[in-house]
Amino acid sequence: MTHADNLRLLYENPEVPLAVDTETRGLRFYDPIIGISYAALVEDTPVSGYLPVAHVVGENAEQETIDQLLYVLSQPRKLIFANVQFDMLKIEQLGLSLEDHEFDDIAVMAHLIDENQPFQGKSVDALAQYYLGEKSKVEEFEHILAYKDAGGKLGVKQQYNRKDTLKWQKENGWPDTTPEMIDEYATIDAVTTWRIWDFLQNHPEYVALPEEIIKEKRDIVRVLLDMRRRGARIDTELAGAYVAMGEMEMAQLVEEIGLNPGSPKDLNELFVERLGLPVVKRSKLTGKPSFDKTVMAEYDLLLERTEAPEAKQVKEYRGWQKAVSASYMPYLELVDKDGRLRCSYKLHGTVTGRFSASEPNLQQIPKESDKPWNGKVKECFIPEDGYTLINADFSQLELRLGTCYAKEERLAEVFREGRDIFTEMGLQLGMSRQDTKTLVYSMQYGAGIKRIMSAFGVTKERAIEIRENYFATYPSFKRLSDVLGNRVLSTGKVRLWTGRYRHFEHPSTESYKAMNSVIQGGAADIVERVMIRVHKELDSDECRMLLQVHDSITFEIANEKIESYVPSIHEVMEDVVGTTGIEEFGYVPFAVEVGFWTGREEDRFAQWKEAA
């Protein structure tokens, strides 16, 4: 079948769901689209193909054919994607907006069914192998095309097969690929996306989901699309200065220590031999001390409680190392040509339901502090001229939500009266405010005895005492933990307030995470619903939503409108009961702290106000 035949058939059947995938010259925001692949099943007739729209080399489709495809996409049909945010923004380059359509994203669907599977991730290849029982397309692309009949209706085999295409791409990049080289590669992706969707939409776990959850996921995608279009403006000069400073500081610290804290080989001598720290974990293959990411998190806690000069130097080195590699350098490398940074938020990147972010990960922007390595990271973000960055942050969101779930009256009273929660808990637990804060966050994240031992530098016996004292002081938390843990043991999952589930592959060893999953996942769902409501009620050119970092939302607000928008932000975000419809969340008040993004922002606004 020709493109003309396919498009005519799709045009005559606007109710038929259509899978769509785009090919581009790169993965960045401004990288141009070069083609669109599509796949559908029309009354048992498979329809698919790849339409080249802007290849630099080779012959592209006639404009009339491209316009026909765009019209078919604009029809009121359900659209199916494997990465909806990316593909929608690329299709917008052709002058067509699709965000008002009903759509599904197979990665999000699979995450709602089971956030743990496939363990390789939610790529098309991984989902096809896990749900369709097929090998990776890279390994055996022909096997994926189960719908391709003898006549080749689902994509005529061209001169280049998938392996040829991948080999060419590796050697030359996408810009010089011809339509013939990419045709089958692209068509297979669209076909496979449709087939995965067809399987997932009938999966019992997906069918059982409340329709409100599915609608919410579409709504939050629309919010994230707006945020990505806008991006956040970056002070590249400042970021560059901190890269240079960080590299200089790290080199100086290596010279002073005499060892490189960035080298696993040197870490063994530094941590175990010099500082006398325990071996946290050994390699199963070599038996030597391991210094992987998880282990280093444990050593960071141990270093905090070590007084030796080398410990302080290692902390400084690691601080600069992370700040340069995770913040300052990516800001320079990934900033777009308009001077704005656009990270990719994913709805399926964490098991709890929190967003994850990449390119770069703006979920890890540190707070302002006096730490020389990352205390000024936030200052790299600057507003558009005439605007100011305002940050709205939920105060102790997870602890308040846990108090609602557990009906823990001792804490509810503190929240209702507006007293400092960690000071009051410290008095009740017999601990300092800082140690109390550390313990509370550890318990919220499902800390076991080993984690408490590392956090406080105490023996196993003392860690057990600390944990038992916490539950004795707040028995409702213990009861909630036991109830949810037993639910995991019996069903392998727990239900969140929205109706979605958190699944556990190993209930017998993971049931202790149940309470944390319900609270952290429930908090993530609250933030998601709040973002949707804020976007609908407040978002405008005067008040732009730019960033989301865990429990906070960052806005770019016109200077003359700040005083009118701040009360509205408070009102909407703190109305958790109104947003969620869950009356039980009224057990404690939810508080949002709204203020300037940084002290620098506050000064800038003060100067503007004085001039105005």
Side-chain angles (χ1 to χ4, degrees), residues 170-335:
K170 184 176 180 180
E171 295 174 352
N172 302 280
W174 282 130
D176 294 327
T177 54
T178 66
E180 291 76 20
M181 292 169 65
I182 206 172
D183 184 286
E184 187 163 42
Y185 169 93
T187 301
I188 290 172
D189 273 348
V191 170
T192 308
T193 296
W194 187 93
R195 293 186 57 218
I196 294 168
W197 169 82
D198 188 47
F199 181 89
L200 296 181
Q201 70 160 337
N202 296 306
H203 193 288
E205 289 267 2
Y206 192 76
V207 172
L209 286 170
E211 180 61 33
E212 182 63 23
I213 292 180
I214 298 170
K215 177 181 181 298
E216 176 197 327
K217 295 303 176 184
R218 294 180 185 133
D219 287 343
I220 196 61
V221 163
R222 297 181 177 105
V223 175
L224 296 176
L225 283 169
D226 257 358
M227 290 168 58
R228 189 165 174 82
R229 289 187 191 100
R230 291 165 178 166
R233 190 180 178 196
I234 294 296
D235 185 336
T236 53
E237 288 187 10
L238 183 61
Y242 273 108
V243 168
M245 186 185 300
E247 291 175 343
M248 181 181 66
E249 290 289 340
M250 285 188 287
Q252 180 65 31
L253 286 165
V254 168
E255 185 177 335
E256 292 175 3
I257 299 170
L259 293 169
N260 183 1
S263 166
K265 181 180 178 182
D266 286 357
L267 284 176
N268 182 47
E269 180 179 343
L270 186 55
F271 285 178
V272 180
E273 296 178 20
R274 279 201 195 180
L275 296 175
L277 300 178
V279 175
V280 174
K281 176 183 173 183
R282 291 187 180 275
S283 169
K284 292 182 179 179
L285 293 176
T286 66
K288 295 180 179 180
S290 171
F291 298 99
D292 61 25
K293 183 177 180 180
T294 304
V295 170
M296 289 307 296
E298 293 286 337
Y299 276 119
D300 284 339
L301 293 173
L302 293 171
L303 288 170
E304 287 291 336
R305 296 184 173 275
T306 303
E307 299 296 332
E310 290 94 337
K312 180 181 179 182
Q313 291 171 322
V314 172
K315 286 188 292 184
E316 289 180 7
Y317 181 95
R318 286 181 52 74
W320 278 111
Q321 184 184 45
K322 182 175 181 180
V324 170
S325 63
S327 298
Y328 300 125
M329 187 63 78
Y331 296 172
L332 293 176
E333 294 175 343
L334 298 174
V335 67

Side-chain angles (χ1 to χ4, degrees), residues 1-11 13 16-19 37-50 72 147 153-155 187 190-191 194:
M1 294 175 67
T2 65
H3 282 305
D5 294 330
N6 287 343
L7 296 177
R8 185 181 306 109
L9 198 57
L10 291 169
Y11 166 75
N13 295 272
V16 171
L18 181 65
S37 54
Y38 58 89
L41 195 63
V42 183
E43 296 180 352
D44 297 327
T45 300
V47 174
S48 71
Y50 173 70
V72 165
Y147 278 28
K153 290 182 179 179
L154 272 180
T187 301
V191 170
W194 187 93

Side-chain angles (χ1 to χ4, degrees), residues 34 53 71 92 99 135 177 232 297 354 373 416 502 514 545:
I34 61 173
V53 300
Y71 185 81
E92 282 183 8
E99 66 178 281
K135 294 182 180 180
T177 54
R354 275 185 166 184
W373 48 85
R416 292 182 196 127
R502 167 75 169 96
M545 196 184 307

Side-chain angles (χ1 to χ4, degrees), residues 379-449:
E379 291 191 0
C380 291
F381 294 81
I382 54 177
E384 195 68 38
D385 294 344
Y387 288 75
T388 296
L389 298 180
I390 297 293
N391 195 58
D393 189 4
F394 274 104
S395 176
Q396 296 103 28
L397 175 60
E398 292 180 13
L399 186 54
R400 291 173 192 264
L401 183 59
T403 301
C404 291
Y405 277 128
K407 295 293 187 289
E408 182 53 65
E409 184 57 30
R410 295 186 72 178
L411 297 184
E413 183 180 349
V414 177
F415 283 129
R416 292 182 196 127
E417 295 179 0
R419 305 199 306 270
D420 182 83
I421 190 66
F422 293 118
T423 298
E424 295 295 327
M425 291 182 75
L427 293 173
Q428 295 167 3
L429 291 166
M431 302 173 69
S432 69
R433 186 184 187 281
Q434 184 56 48
D435 281 352
T436 298
K437 193 172 183 179
T438 299
L439 178 62
V440 169
Y441 285 128
S442 296
M443 297 301 290
Q444 283 183 351
Y445 286 92
I449 297 302

Side-chain angles (χ1 to χ4, degrees), residues 98 102 175 200 248 323 395 421 503 552 609:
L98 297 173
E102 181 180 355
L200 296 181
M248 181 181 66
S395 176
I421 190 66
H503 303 80
S552 70
K609 200 166 186 179

